Amino acid sequence: TEAHVLQLSNGNYLLTYAHSLEAWYDFMGRIQSDHRTRELVIAELQKHTLETVWEKRVLQKGWLNTLVIKKLIRQNDSTFLVFGGRAGDLGNFNPHPSPGWIYAFDQNGDSIWYRELAHKQNHEEGHYVMGGSLTPDEGMLMGGYTQIDTTDASGLRTWLIKVDSIGNFILGLPYL
């Protein structure tokens, strides 16, 4: 999957990407795997040689199907945020609903907090975080869409939310 890179204050690089065991690309360009498990890889690379200084692999409960990373940002001097979504295989939103997510970690790749963003309904949904920006109070303004598959109908609904500096929901327009 696509890698996301930031340069650290020491000049080294912070790298994040999703990793799959025994994976291949399907006809739509998505990574597939019989193991259906994706993990988030966070690593620091040395600025001159690109050798790995350290690497952490993060696997949250329920991270099945396609783990998609949309963005890596620096929240402050000691906290980084990576966010994205999980899409099911060819419309299979497993688990139901398939949430967007935010993962916060420190400069050593250690977990600080994790939040899922999901509008709970009684039908299959896929939630996709498409972008986000820091706000002056170190919270985030995030936007995306929800794909809903109801009886004989499907559709996309866009949303915009604000979360605080630790990922708690503050306000939003769940569906525009």
Side-chain angles (χ1 to χ4, degrees), residues 54-69:
W54 55 261
E55 178 182 283
K56 303 278 174 88
R57 292 177 178 256
V58 180
L59 183 64
Q60 294 288 338
K61 181 180 178 184
W63 272 10
L64 304 174
N65 299 326
T66 306
L67 178 66
V68 179
I69 299 171

Side-chain angles (χ1 to χ4, degrees), residues 99-139:
W101 52 271
I102 310 169
Y103 182 76
F105 58 95
D106 67 17
Q107 65 270 16
N108 298 313
D110 295 322
S111 175
I112 298 173
W113 53 263
Y114 169 77
R115 302 283 185 266
E116 290 187 346
L117 309 168
H119 179 251
K120 308 285 187 198
Q121 291 284 335
N122 292 325
H123 41 69
E124 296 183 356
E125 299 179 342
H127 300 271
Y128 303 92
V129 177
M130 299 308 292
S133 296
L134 284 179
T135 57
D137 61 358
E138 293 188 357

Side-chain angles (χ1 to χ4, degrees), residues 32-68:
Q32 301 296 311
S33 169
D34 288 334
H35 297 279
R36 297 174 53 89
T37 300
R38 310 295 187 260
E39 60 187 351
L40 173 64
V41 179
I42 304 167
E44 181 178 343
L45 305 179
Q46 205 281 332
K47 65 182 171 183
H48 297 295
T49 64
L50 298 181
E51 290 181 19
T52 302
V53 177
W54 55 261
E55 178 182 283
K56 303 278 174 88
R57 292 177 178 256
V58 180
L59 183 64
Q60 294 288 338
K61 181 180 178 184
W63 272 10
L64 304 174
N65 299 326
T66 306
L67 178 66
V68 179

Side-chain angles (χ1 to χ4, degrees), residues 71 73 81 83 102 117 129-144 159-165 170-173:
K71 197 168 188 179
I73 60 176
L81 303 173
F83 59 86
I102 310 169
L117 309 168
V129 177
M130 299 308 292
S133 296
L134 284 179
T135 57
D137 61 358
E138 293 188 357
M140 283 187 58
L141 188 62
M142 302 180 76
W159 49 264
L160 178 67
I161 63 169
K162 180 166 186 320
V163 296
D164 66 12
S165 62
I170 295 178
L171 61 93
L173 302 171

